[in-house]
Amino acid sequence: MRAGSRWYCVGIVRDITVQRAREQVLCEEKDRTDTLLRIAARLNGSIALDAVLDALCEETARALQVPAAVVFLLDRHRGMLVPARSFGVPEEVRDCLPCIPLPVYERELRKQAPPVIAVPDPVLRAGEGFWKSTPPERPPPRALASAAILHEGGVLIGSLDVVMFDAPRTFSPGELAFLGGIANQAALAVVNARHFEELTAYERRLQASLDEKTALLKEIHHRVKNNMQVISSLLSLQGRLIENSAARECIRESVNRVKSLALVHESLYRSESLAVVDIGAYARRFADDLVQSYALQAHVSVTVETAEAITFSGDTAIPLGLILNELISNSLRHGFAGRDRGGQSRSGSPGCRTTGSSSSTGTTASGCPPGRHRPATGDPGGCSSSGSSQHNLEGRSCSGQGNPGRSSSSSSPPASRRRW
């Protein structure tokens, strides 16, 4: 500005010290918030408790620029805060970390502004006798500040301490609040990690119990099968001493029935589920055993066909095995009488269980020998044992003339629709 022959300069001076201080505080708050978010993401990204505590100590020491940090967890049985994990504490000093009595820590929390306290030097050191002896060449660590790790409802579960080994350091209110924020993030991570450990331990106990019961069930089925094999062997030995052919035939029928039951238990303990039997595999093996029992394996072939994998529970497989025994045995005894060769076929589907036999000569109407007793229910599909087993399954059976030979079929409703 010019006035006459002179020039004048006008300026306005403002003190922006306060504004700069506020901007610096805002920048620090932003940095701390970003750090808290990063720490929270790292803590919640781990599920093992030791990994969570190690990450907590490391992030705390780096964020507050201190040489070491220690996490104490509450042992309610002892009434002490016990050092759990640490960062930056030498191994020879780590064993000297104290256990803090809970009443002492709670007293300090009441005296100062919780949940973050500046730890007085005598409280956690030799004045109270909590520190163990440290190596003479190393000074004992000093806990400068401690943040209580509080669960929902203000329940104390531990503390997060920052530690120095040389001259003490004073923390600003902002740094103490920052330490409290880290402890708040740690509370949820520690609780979640503990819940995960409890759940994992429970699952291990549950799996061990399941394995034990599975082994027990397998052993039971195995022993039942062995006992039935002993019974079958005793009957076979007795049958060899009988000269009457009719009585010997009855013994052989009993042996085959016992084998059908034993094979069910063997199939159960060999299966993965221990609850169901693959009826296709069962029928194939049982039919082969029956063919060998009648010494017809050189002349008679047995084919078992299933539309898909058909499984039954043990309660259903046992009477079904007896039905298969009667139908296949009748076919072998009477369907191939006077013949030197022939074949049998067995087929099944989820809705109907069908068994049939065919040869170049016919059988009697029921598949039983002439004069053999038929079921009182009028079921023409088998003999008395077959009819009784069919009745247990609440099913029905029928037979008809095949070309050549005869065929018989049996069906039963699903187990869920039966009346027990």
Side-chain angles (χ1 to χ4, degrees):
M1 176 183 296
R2 182 175 182 178
S5 58
R6 295 183 178 181
W7 289 87
Y8 297 90
C9 181
V10 179
I12 301 175
V13 179
R14 290 189 306 170
D15 187 0
I16 60 173
T17 304
V18 176
Q19 181 180 352
R20 288 294 178 87
R22 290 175 179 175
E23 291 177 354
Q24 183 177 359
V25 170
L26 289 177
C27 290
E28 292 176 354
E29 289 295 332
K30 181 180 179 301
D31 292 340
R32 289 171 181 170
T33 301
D34 293 339
T35 303
L36 284 177
L37 292 176
R38 180 177 55 80
I39 293 175
R42 182 179 178 184
L43 295 181
N44 292 299
S46 301
I47 54 177
L49 181 60
D50 289 344
V52 170
L53 298 181
D54 288 338
L56 175 62
C57 293
E58 179 184 352
E59 292 292 347
T60 301
R62 291 179 177 177
L64 292 175
Q65 298 180 356
V66 293
V70 182
V71 174
F72 293 81
L73 294 181
L74 178 61
D75 186 346
R76 297 192 179 277
H77 296 288
R78 299 170 56 187
M80 307 279 280
L81 287 171
V82 180
R85 308 294 286 188
S86 62
F87 175 80
V89 179
E91 185 176 357
E92 60 271 16
V93 180
R94 194 177 305 152
D95 296 333
C96 304
L97 294 174
C99 294
I100 307 173
L102 182 60
V104 174
Y105 194 83
E106 290 179 338
R107 183 187 66 195
E108 293 300 323
L109 283 178
R110 289 191 298 267
K111 288 169 57 177
Q112 304 186 47
V116 182
I117 59 175
V119 181
D121 193 51
V123 171
L124 302 179
R125 295 190 62 216
E128 297 285 348
F130 301 142
W131 290 95
K132 305 174 186 178
S133 58
T134 56
E137 65 274 8
R138 285 187 175 274
R142 298 182 178 186
L144 302 179
S146 177
I149 302 177
L150 304 174
H151 190 33
E152 296 178 358
V155 179
L156 180 68
I157 61 176
S159 68
L160 175 61
D161 294 16
V162 290
V163 177
M164 298 285 288
F165 294 97
D166 45 15
R169 169 184 165 185
T170 302
F171 291 98
S172 66
E175 290 175 324
L176 293 178
F178 184 40
L179 179 61
I182 298 176
N184 291 336
Q185 298 296 329
L188 180 60
V190 170
V191 170
N192 289 340
R194 281 181 168 176
H195 287 171
F196 176 78
E197 284 191 346
E198 293 174 359
L199 180 61
T200 303
Y202 175 76
E203 288 179 348
R204 284 197 297 265
R205 293 194 301 269
L206 191 63
Q207 185 62 43
S209 177
L210 179 61
D211 293 341
E212 180 181 356
K213 290 178 173 57
T214 300
L216 180 61
L217 281 175
K218 286 187 175 182
E219 182 64 21
I220 290 174
H221 286 301
H222 189 228
R223 292 193 178 189
V224 170
K225 187 264 296 183
N226 288 344
N227 291 337
M228 289 187 173
Q229 284 185 336
V230 171
I231 295 173
S232 175
S233 299
L234 292 175
L235 289 174
S236 298
L237 291 175
Q238 187 65 34
R240 295 176 184 177
L241 303 178
I242 297 177
E243 297 181 357
N244 185 283
S245 60
R248 191 164 53 247
E249 182 64 25
C250 290
I251 292 292
R252 182 163 63 174
E253 289 181 7
S254 299
V255 169
N256 290 335
R257 289 169 184 167
V258 173
K259 285 183 177 179
S260 71
L261 302 179
L263 186 56
V264 171
H265 288 280
E266 182 178 356
S267 301
L268 283 173
Y269 82 75
R270 290 185 182 276
S271 66
E272 295 182 358
S273 65
L274 290 177
V276 295
V277 176
D278 184 348
I279 202 62
Y282 172 84
R284 292 184 189 95
R285 181 173 175 183
F286 186 51
D288 292 339
D289 290 344
L290 286 177
V291 171
Q292 293 178 7
S293 173
Y294 286 93
L296 296 173
Q297 61 268 30
H299 309 289
V300 178
S301 62
V302 179
T303 303
V304 178
E305 299 177 355
T306 55
E308 57 184 74
I310 303 175
T311 57
F312 285 105
S313 65
D315 294 337
T316 304
I318 288 176
L320 185 58
L322 292 174
I323 294 173
L324 289 174
N325 172 66
E326 296 299 326
L327 296 178
I328 299 175
S329 296
N330 289 340
S331 300
L332 294 174
R333 286 200 307 270
H334 310 294
F336 302 104
R339 308 295 301 179
D340 60 352
R341 67 187 59 190
Q344 291 191 30
S345 65
R346 303 287 181 268
S347 63
S349 64
C352 177
R353 313 292 181 249
T354 304
T355 177
S357 64
S358 64
S359 68
S360 57
T361 183
T363 65
T364 60
S366 64
C368 294
R372 185 71 178 271
H373 173 67
R374 296 183 183 178
T377 57
D379 175 15
C383 301
S384 58
S385 176
S386 175
S388 175
S389 300
Q390 190 67 42
H391 176 73
N392 293 336
L393 293 176
E394 297 184 12
R396 62 181 184 273
S397 61
C398 60
S399 64
Q401 183 66 37
N403 186 21
R406 297 194 59 83
S407 65
S408 61
S409 65
S410 63
S411 63
S412 62
S416 58
R417 289 166 48 191
R418 295 185 202 136
R419 303 183 300 275
W420 299 100

